[in-house]
Structure formats: C-alpha cells, structure tokens
Amino acid sequence: MPLYVPVRRCSSGFALRVFRSPLGARTAVAFTTERRLSDVLGAGQVSIRLALPAVRALAAPLGVDLVSVDPQLTAPPAHPTGPLTLPDGSPGPSRD
C-alpha cells in the first residue's frame, strides 16, 4: 500500500524529509492518508507516494533506520524566529 511521504524540493527533484521522534531518534515519516499528513504537517507540505520498503531504502543511506507511520505530533523548528517571550508576557532570557 503506497504511503504519503513528506519531501522537500531540491536541485535534483525531491529529497526525503527526516524528523526526530519524541525521544530524539532520527526518523522518516509516512502517512496512510493525505489528510493525516496535512493535519500533522500542514496543507502546504509536499509529498510523494511510496511503499514502505521504498521509504526504508531512501532513509537507510542517511543513517535513518526508523520509519514512523501516522505520527500525530510534530514540533516547530528548533530555531527561534523572533524575540523570546514567556507565556505571561514577560521577556524571556537573553540569547547573548
């Protein structure tokens, strides 16, 4: 059964996106439906359809042994994009 696999555009076409599991392990992800992919990663996420063995074959040269199917949680990128602010509105710690 083909899965929806998130990719990013690159100079040679598309590249597999690699994520981190909740425990920090590198993982490829795949979704059983397009809706599940868009619910987790957003409607604008580019994807291709691949069978699970093909996902594993693409991930292996990257040193990624784990493939997470239908993950339900993602986190924003680790790099902050603006000033840090605590939930109560007070300034956060300095990034100096």
PDB file of all heavy atoms in Angstrom, residues 1-2 4-5 9 11 29 32 44 51 54 62-63 65-67 81-82 85 93:
ATOM      1  N   MET A   1       0.846  -1.180   0.000  1.00  0.00           N
ATOM      2  CA  MET A   1       0.000   0.000   0.000  1.00  0.00           C
ATOM      3  C   MET A   1       0.893   1.246   0.000  1.00  0.00           C
ATOM      4  O   MET A   1       1.718   1.413   0.894  1.00  0.00           O
ATOM      5  CB  MET A   1      -0.891  -0.020   1.248  1.00  0.00           C
ATOM      6  CG  MET A   1      -1.591   1.279   1.488  1.00  0.00           C
ATOM      7  SD  MET A   1      -2.771   1.223   2.834  1.00  0.00           S
ATOM      8  CE  MET A   1      -1.725   1.611   4.200  1.00  0.00           C
ATOM      9  N   PRO A   2       0.767   2.108  -0.980  1.00  0.00           N
ATOM     10  CA  PRO A   2       1.574   3.330  -1.009  1.00  0.00           C
ATOM     11  C   PRO A   2       1.205   4.267   0.144  1.00  0.00           C
ATOM     12  O   PRO A   2       0.044   4.384   0.526  1.00  0.00           O
ATOM     13  CB  PRO A   2       1.233   3.975  -2.343  1.00  0.00           C
ATOM     14  CG  PRO A   2       0.578   2.920  -3.148  1.00  0.00           C
ATOM     15  CD  PRO A   2      -0.042   1.968  -2.172  1.00  0.00           C
ATOM     16  N   TYR A   4       1.889   8.290   1.947  1.00  0.00           N
ATOM     17  CA  TYR A   4       2.211   9.684   1.637  1.00  0.00           C
ATOM     18  C   TYR A   4       3.451  10.059   2.450  1.00  0.00           C
ATOM     19  O   TYR A   4       3.428  10.026   3.675  1.00  0.00           O
ATOM     20  CB  TYR A   4       1.035  10.596   1.980  1.00  0.00           C
ATOM     21  CG  TYR A   4      -0.167  10.344   1.109  1.00  0.00           C
ATOM     22  CD1 TYR A   4      -1.100   9.361   1.440  1.00  0.00           C
ATOM     23  CD2 TYR A   4      -0.348  11.063  -0.065  1.00  0.00           C
ATOM     24  CE1 TYR A   4      -2.194   9.116   0.623  1.00  0.00           C
ATOM     25  CE2 TYR A   4      -1.441  10.813  -0.882  1.00  0.00           C
ATOM     26  CZ  TYR A   4      -2.360   9.848  -0.531  1.00  0.00           C
ATOM     27  OH  TYR A   4      -3.437   9.602  -1.340  1.00  0.00           O
ATOM     28  N   VAL A   5       4.520  10.394   1.748  1.00  0.00           N
ATOM     29  CA  VAL A   5       5.814  10.636   2.390  1.00  0.00           C
ATOM     30  C   VAL A   5       6.216  12.093   2.168  1.00  0.00           C
ATOM     31  O   VAL A   5       6.317  12.545   1.022  1.00  0.00           O
ATOM     32  CB  VAL A   5       6.887   9.695   1.799  1.00  0.00           C
ATOM     33  CG1 VAL A   5       8.232   9.933   2.450  1.00  0.00           C
ATOM     34  CG2 VAL A   5       6.446   8.238   1.946  1.00  0.00           C
ATOM     35  N   ARG A   9      11.646  20.041  -1.915  1.00  0.00           N
ATOM     36  CA  ARG A   9      12.196  20.238  -3.257  1.00  0.00           C
ATOM     37  C   ARG A   9      13.693  20.538  -3.133  1.00  0.00           C
ATOM     38  O   ARG A   9      14.126  21.216  -2.217  1.00  0.00           O
ATOM     39  CB  ARG A   9      11.491  21.388  -3.953  1.00  0.00           C
ATOM     40  CG  ARG A   9      10.024  21.091  -4.219  1.00  0.00           C
ATOM     41  CD  ARG A   9       9.383  22.193  -5.070  1.00  0.00           C
ATOM     42  NE  ARG A   9       7.941  22.050  -5.085  1.00  0.00           N
ATOM     43  CZ  ARG A   9       7.281  21.196  -5.857  1.00  0.00           C
ATOM     44  NH1 ARG A   9       7.942  20.404  -6.661  1.00  0.00           N
ATOM     45  NH2 ARG A   9       5.962  21.128  -5.815  1.00  0.00           N
ATOM     46  N   SER A  11      17.591  20.618  -5.816  1.00  0.00           N
ATOM     47  CA  SER A  11      18.071  20.814  -7.186  1.00  0.00           C
ATOM     48  C   SER A  11      17.912  19.569  -8.055  1.00  0.00           C
ATOM     49  O   SER A  11      17.784  19.676  -9.271  1.00  0.00           O
ATOM     50  CB  SER A  11      19.532  21.253  -7.172  1.00  0.00           C
ATOM     51  OG  SER A  11      20.327  20.259  -6.548  1.00  0.00           O
ATOM     52  N   VAL A  29       9.113   9.725   8.141  1.00  0.00           N
ATOM     53  CA  VAL A  29       7.691   9.594   8.472  1.00  0.00           C
ATOM     54  C   VAL A  29       6.910   9.313   7.196  1.00  0.00           C
ATOM     55  O   VAL A  29       7.327   9.681   6.095  1.00  0.00           O
ATOM     56  CB  VAL A  29       7.110  10.835   9.199  1.00  0.00           C
ATOM     57  CG1 VAL A  29       7.815  11.064  10.519  1.00  0.00           C
ATOM     58  CG2 VAL A  29       7.185  12.069   8.347  1.00  0.00           C
ATOM     59  N   THR A  32      -0.768   7.250   6.082  1.00  0.00           N
ATOM     60  CA  THR A  32      -1.661   6.377   5.325  1.00  0.00           C
ATOM     61  C   THR A  32      -2.662   7.154   4.484  1.00  0.00           C
ATOM     62  O   THR A  32      -3.191   6.613   3.517  1.00  0.00           O
ATOM     63  CB  THR A  32      -2.407   5.413   6.261  1.00  0.00           C
ATOM     64  OG1 THR A  32      -3.069   6.168   7.285  1.00  0.00           O
ATOM     65  CG2 THR A  32      -1.452   4.416   6.889  1.00  0.00           C
ATOM     66  N   GLY A  44       0.323  22.690   3.073  1.00  0.00           N
ATOM     67  CA  GLY A  44       1.318  23.015   2.057  1.00  0.00           C
ATOM     68  C   GLY A  44       2.466  22.030   1.962  1.00  0.00           C
ATOM     69  O   GLY A  44       3.357  22.206   1.129  1.00  0.00           O
ATOM     70  N   ALA A  51       5.849   3.026  -1.338  1.00  0.00           N
ATOM     71  CA  ALA A  51       5.629   1.874  -0.472  1.00  0.00           C
ATOM     72  C   ALA A  51       6.655   1.916   0.666  1.00  0.00           C
ATOM     73  O   ALA A  51       7.734   2.517   0.529  1.00  0.00           O
ATOM     74  CB  ALA A  51       5.768   0.585  -1.267  1.00  0.00           C
ATOM     75  N   ALA A  54      10.319   1.208  -0.023  1.00  0.00           N
ATOM     76  CA  ALA A  54      10.996   2.300  -0.735  1.00  0.00           C
ATOM     77  C   ALA A  54      11.390   3.416   0.234  1.00  0.00           C
ATOM     78  O   ALA A  54      12.469   4.001   0.113  1.00  0.00           O
ATOM     79  CB  ALA A  54      10.107   2.841  -1.845  1.00  0.00           C
ATOM     80  N   LEU A  62      20.942   7.604   4.713  1.00  0.00           N
ATOM     81  CA  LEU A  62      21.032   8.771   5.594  1.00  0.00           C
ATOM     82  C   LEU A  62      21.287   8.365   7.043  1.00  0.00           C
ATOM     83  O   LEU A  62      21.345   9.206   7.927  1.00  0.00           O
ATOM     84  CB  LEU A  62      19.729   9.582   5.504  1.00  0.00           C
ATOM     85  CG  LEU A  62      19.323  10.053   4.105  1.00  0.00           C
ATOM     86  CD1 LEU A  62      17.944  10.696   4.139  1.00  0.00           C
ATOM     87  CD2 LEU A  62      20.363  11.004   3.546  1.00  0.00           C
ATOM     88  N   GLY A  63      21.399   7.059   7.283  1.00  0.00           N
ATOM     89  CA  GLY A  63      21.606   6.569   8.636  1.00  0.00           C
ATOM     90  C   GLY A  63      20.324   6.535   9.453  1.00  0.00           C
ATOM     91  O   GLY A  63      20.368   6.513  10.676  1.00  0.00           O
ATOM     92  N   ASP A  65      17.125   4.484  10.470  1.00  0.00           N
ATOM     93  CA  ASP A  65      16.566   3.127  10.479  1.00  0.00           C
ATOM     94  C   ASP A  65      15.095   3.103  10.853  1.00  0.00           C
ATOM     95  O   ASP A  65      14.419   2.104  10.636  1.00  0.00           O
ATOM     96  CB  ASP A  65      17.324   2.254  11.489  1.00  0.00           C
ATOM     97  CG  ASP A  65      18.792   2.117  11.119  1.00  0.00           C
ATOM     98  OD1 ASP A  65      19.104   2.050   9.921  1.00  0.00           O
ATOM     99  OD2 ASP A  65      19.623   2.075  12.040  1.00  0.00           O
ATOM    100  N   LEU A  66      14.592   4.175  11.444  1.00  0.00           N
ATOM    101  CA  LEU A  66      13.224   4.219  11.954  1.00  0.00           C
ATOM    102  C   LEU A  66      12.306   4.909  10.952  1.00  0.00           C
ATOM    103  O   LEU A  66      12.651   5.956  10.398  1.00  0.00           O
ATOM    104  CB  LEU A  66      13.216   4.986  13.281  1.00  0.00           C
ATOM    105  CG  LEU A  66      11.904   5.156  14.013  1.00  0.00           C
ATOM    106  CD1 LEU A  66      11.339   3.806  14.429  1.00  0.00           C
ATOM    107  CD2 LEU A  66      12.116   6.030  15.246  1.00  0.00           C
ATOM    108  N   VAL A  67      11.135   4.306  10.714  1.00  0.00           N
ATOM    109  CA  VAL A  67      10.090   4.944   9.916  1.00  0.00           C
ATOM    110  C   VAL A  67       8.842   4.993  10.786  1.00  0.00           C
ATOM    111  O   VAL A  67       8.366   3.964  11.257  1.00  0.00           O
ATOM    112  CB  VAL A  67       9.779   4.184   8.610  1.00  0.00           C
ATOM    113  CG1 VAL A  67       8.639   4.856   7.854  1.00  0.00           C
ATOM    114  CG2 VAL A  67      11.016   4.103   7.730  1.00  0.00           C
ATOM    115  N   THR A  81      12.469  32.395  15.756  1.00  0.00           N
ATOM    116  CA  THR A  81      12.392  33.363  14.658  1.00  0.00           C
ATOM    117  C   THR A  81      12.163  34.781  15.142  1.00  0.00           C
ATOM    118  O   THR A  81      12.123  35.694  14.345  1.00  0.00           O
ATOM    119  CB  THR A  81      11.268  32.973  13.693  1.00  0.00           C
ATOM    120  OG1 THR A  81      10.041  32.904  14.422  1.00  0.00           O
ATOM    121  CG2 THR A  81      11.547  31.643  13.029  1.00  0.00           C
ATOM    122  N   GLY A  82      11.982  34.967  16.422  1.00  0.00           N
ATOM    123  CA  GLY A  82      11.745  36.305  16.940  1.00  0.00           C
ATOM    124  C   GLY A  82      12.173  36.390  18.393  1.00  0.00           C
ATOM    125  O   GLY A  82      12.718  35.441  18.946  1.00  0.00           O
ATOM    126  N   THR A  85       9.542  35.368  24.417  1.00  0.00           N
ATOM    127  CA  THR A  85       8.576  35.920  25.361  1.00  0.00           C
ATOM    128  C   THR A  85       7.967  34.768  26.134  1.00  0.00           C
ATOM    129  O   THR A  85       7.594  33.752  25.555  1.00  0.00           O
ATOM    130  CB  THR A  85       7.459  36.688  24.636  1.00  0.00           C
ATOM    131  OG1 THR A  85       8.052  37.702  23.832  1.00  0.00           O
ATOM    132  CG2 THR A  85       6.507  37.331  25.613  1.00  0.00           C
ATOM    133  N   PRO A  93      14.712  34.853  28.665  1.00  0.00           N
ATOM    134  CA  PRO A  93      16.152  35.021  28.873  1.00  0.00           C
ATOM    135  C   PRO A  93      16.829  35.562  27.615  1.00  0.00           C
ATOM    136  O   PRO A  93      16.352  35.353  26.503  1.00  0.00           O
ATOM    137  CB  PRO A  93      16.641  33.605  29.189  1.00  0.00           C
ATOM    138  CG  PRO A  93      15.572  32.686  28.701  1.00  0.00           C
ATOM    139  CD  PRO A  93      14.301  33.472  28.707  1.00  0.00           C
TER     140      PRO A  93
END
